[in-house]
Structure formats: C-alpha cells, structure tokens
Amino acid sequence: NTDSSNTNTGDTDTETSDNAQMQKPTVPSQNKDTSDSLQPDGQKQKPWIFIDVDKVPGTWKYDNIQYVYQLDLMADVGGSKKFLPDQPLTRAMFATVLYRMAGEPAVKYIPKFSDVAEGKWYSNAILWANQKGIVSGIGGGKYGVTQNITREQIAKMLYEYADKVCGYDVSESQELSSFTDTDKLSGWSVNYMKWATAVGMISGKPNDEARTSFRLDGKGEATRAECAAMLSRFAAKYSN
C-alpha cells in the first residue's frame, strides 16, 4: 500500500527548529495572549516572531500557529521570521513534525526509500515513521520527500500515529454523506477521513460564502496553517 497516488511536487521545506519533546499533547489557549505565560514544563513561552501572521489571540491562525511554535513542532522557514501560513507543507516536513512529537527516538539508517539519503534533516523522521507503520511511501520505492502533503495524507498519518505510537482510541467514525465531494476521495483514505471528521480534526471547507455546504478537499494540499490547526485539534481531542 502507498500513502498516496498524488504526484504534485514542491520545494523542499527548509524549516529549522529546536528539538522538541511532546509525549502528551497539550491544548493551546484560545482567547488570551499567552506569549508571557508558562508552558506545562514551567518554562516561559517564546516571544512571537512571525512577521507575516498578525498577533491576534482568538483568531484561528494565531492560536494554532502559537501552539505548534511553542512546542517546537514548526518554526519560521529558513530563519526568515516568516511562518508562510498559506504555503503548502511537504511530506518530509510533516513526518518531521510527528517525529518531534514522539520525542525524536533513535533511528538506524537503512536505505528504505530511494529519495531518502542518509544524514538529511528528514531522514530519521521518515525512516521512523515507516518503521512505526505511519507511512509507506508513494510507490516506486520513493517516499515523496518534496511532494506537498494532502489533507487525506495528514488524516492517515495522524490516525496511524495516534494508534500505533500513542495507543489512543481511534474507533470514532462518522459518515461523510454531508460533504459534497466524497466521491473524489482516494479509496484508501475514506476510513481515515471518517475518523478525522468524527474527532473534529477536519471540519470541511465551505463551498460558498453562505456556508450552505462543505467539501472535504481530501486531495487538496494542506497549508502550513491548516497543518497547525489539525495538530491543535488532535491535541484537544486526546489531551484528556
């Protein structure tokens, strides 16, 4: 089985971040400025650095980006002090985010994928994710390092992470008949999307300004801000 049949490619993510330890998810504060408050480990939170995201507590972009930034899961891109919230995220970077969430366990390099060389910033993360059963690649012996990750791929990877790494209950599921584009989902992704919508990680995109109907956009590329939101909602679900 492969993670996707998507063949779109994107620039390699050059994001850098300090190592992170996130054994148990924590929920971001939603309606107040947390820049001077304490993290769960008692350390003062880092000051807001992003020049392309307004510092407005209570807005979905700020709250969710603040969450992943304070836990060192995501950072500015290439030291630019820009989060680039509307830009896509690569498959290599999302594997790295999950690897950081798991505490970056030791990994022995094996040449599993032809596009994952030894010693790259993403090598350990991808090999770890494969060994844990979170990812299997895109076929042809490749992981798809530079491909932009899709919403249904994120659903799969977070489901497998919750189940195989954290041991969380992933039995929740809901029918997708209320969404207008379920027929466009990849066959392998349907059950993952049923779980992702049931736990509130994915709520759909409005088809019109009146928000009379919604679509899943499973094969759509997930933006960096959307990725932050999914991680935040994942934490909100499983932090108790």
Side-chain angles (χ1 to χ4, degrees):
N1 294 333
T2 61
D3 301 324
S4 170
S5 60
N6 188 306
T7 57
N8 293 334
T9 59
D11 296 334
T12 300
D13 196 315
T14 58
E15 175 174 342
T16 58
S17 172
D18 297 331
N19 291 341
Q21 299 285 330
M22 189 185 126
Q23 301 299 340
K24 182 178 180 180
T26 55
V27 184
S29 176
Q30 292 298 321
N31 294 307
K32 63 180 179 178
D33 187 347
T34 60
S35 59
D36 292 324
S37 62
L38 297 180
Q39 298 188 55
D41 60 6
Q43 296 181 357
K44 191 172 182 178
Q45 292 196 350
K46 299 179 294 184
W48 187 254
I49 66 168
F50 303 112
I51 62 176
D52 59 342
V53 180
D54 291 335
K55 185 179 177 181
V56 183
T59 58
W60 79 272
K61 278 188 179 180
Y62 172 82
D63 286 343
N64 292 312
I65 293 171
Q66 174 77 307
Y67 167 74
V68 296
Y69 174 57
Q70 291 301 331
L71 288 177
D72 290 324
L73 301 180
M74 298 176 71
D76 58 333
V77 176
S80 65
K81 294 188 177 180
K82 292 182 179 181
F83 190 82
L84 302 181
D86 300 320
Q87 295 297 309
L89 191 78
T90 62
R91 286 170 51 83
M93 190 61 232
F94 194 73
T96 302
V97 168
L98 294 184
Y99 184 55
R100 290 170 181 166
M101 288 169 63
E104 298 183 300
V107 177
K108 183 178 180 181
Y109 179 79
I110 57 173
K112 174 67 176 180
F113 300 107
S114 61
D115 56 346
V116 180
E118 186 173 7
K120 298 295 185 180
W121 60 266
Y122 48 76
S123 301
N124 285 352
I126 293 172
L127 293 176
W128 166 83
N130 176 253
Q131 291 166 12
K132 289 295 184 180
I134 298 171
V135 299
S136 54
I138 60 171
K142 293 184 177 182
Y143 172 74
V145 169
T146 60
Q147 285 192 13
N148 295 332
I149 197 163
T150 65
R151 289 160 59 84
E152 60 185 15
Q153 288 172 359
I154 286 181
K156 174 190 176 180
M157 291 172 71
L158 276 175
Y159 175 100
E160 299 295 0
Y161 174 81
D163 182 33
K164 296 176 179 176
V165 177
C166 302
Y168 295 148
D169 180 3
V170 291
S171 62
E172 289 186 63
S173 179
Q174 77 171 40
E175 290 304 315
L176 303 175
S177 56
S178 62
F179 299 98
T180 60
D181 63 343
T182 54
D183 60 318
K184 295 181 174 60
L185 293 175
S186 299
W188 58 263
S189 75
V190 172
N191 286 336
Y192 295 117
M193 295 297 275
K194 286 182 176 180
W195 166 79
T197 55
V199 301
M201 196 181 73
I202 292 177
S203 56
K205 295 181 176 182
N207 289 320
D208 51 54
E209 291 185 4
R211 303 174 72 88
T212 58
S213 63
F214 295 82
R215 66 189 187 280
L216 290 168
D217 193 25
K219 293 181 180 178
E221 295 175 351
T223 67
R224 289 168 56 81
E226 288 174 343
C227 173
M230 291 181 196
L231 291 169
S232 175
R233 294 167 188 162
F234 177 87
K237 171 64 181 179
Y238 290 107
S239 61
N240 297 323

